[in-house]
Amino acid sequence: MTVLELFRKYDYESVIPHLNHLFVVNSKHSMTAEFIEVCRGIYNYWANECEPKSTEWYIRLASRWEWTSPSIDMNCSVEGKKGFRYAVADQEDMIEVLGMEVKVDDDVEISEVELAAGLFWEMTYREPENIVNKSSVSK
């Protein structure tokens, strides 16, 4: 399944509790109402208005996101035939990420909706407000 297929399968409302869980565990606070709305705009834009780029790269999830930092722990990485590339959080082109297949290591227990939330967490780790502007989504 690709990232976009996950985002289209699970609407933002079903992702919010799992996304908020990641915020509470990893940053010790809940998402604010304003932040929820910014993220809603990004998620809905990606899920409903974007056509993914075709890519040879895929995403490998080696562990859940609880107690991890995307650029340090490398639990969720962009990989290819030649191996590791970098953390999904460091990917510049999120439209390309939407087209990537997601491979979850066998020892990782995670539901699809948790996976959608975690991928969104990873994709927006670097200042969601800037991603909104890059994606031409108005606030």
Side-chain angles (χ1 to χ4, degrees):
M1 183 172 291
T2 67
V3 174
L4 183 58
E5 289 169 337
L6 276 168
F7 287 3
R8 288 184 174 163
K9 186 172 183 178
Y10 297 98
D11 67 9
Y12 184 68
E13 294 306 315
S14 63
V15 169
I16 291 173
H18 305 285
L19 186 58
N20 191 56
H21 166 75
L22 292 175
F23 269 83
V24 170
V25 169
N26 292 319
S27 45
K28 309 296 183 243
H29 62 83
S30 294
M31 300 185 318
T32 65
E34 180 182 35
F35 188 78
I36 288 171
E37 291 309 310
V38 168
C39 289
R40 181 187 315 279
I42 297 168
Y43 192 93
N44 289 335
Y45 173 73
W46 284 342
N48 301 312
E49 298 181 38
C50 290
E51 288 300 319
K53 291 182 180 178
S54 112
T55 181
E56 65 185 46
W57 301 101
Y58 65 88
I59 294 171
R60 174 180 172 233
L61 182 67
S63 69
R64 295 176 60 96
W65 284 270
E66 288 86 355
W67 302 285
T68 65
S69 175
S71 291
I72 296 171
D73 297 308
M74 301 297 181
N75 64 306
C76 185
S77 56
V78 173
E79 299 188 8
K81 291 178 184 174
K82 296 180 182 177
F84 174 80
R85 190 173 183 194
Y86 42 66
V88 173
D90 294 329
Q91 172 76 13
E92 288 289 320
D93 186 351
M94 293 303 164
I95 304 305
E96 182 179 17
V97 170
L98 292 174
M100 292 180 186
E101 290 287 330
V102 182
K103 298 180 180 184
V104 179
D105 285 5
D106 291 338
D107 62 341
V108 179
E109 292 185 28
I110 192 165
S111 69
E112 284 186 346
V113 70
E114 290 173 313
L115 182 58
L119 290 166
F120 187 77
W121 160 272
E122 187 88 17
M123 292 170 72
T124 58
Y125 189 73
R126 306 264 185 248
E127 303 179 53
E129 293 80 7
N130 291 336
I131 292 169
V132 172
N133 294 334
K134 280 184 183 178
S135 299
S136 302
V137 177
S138 59
K139 292 187 205 176

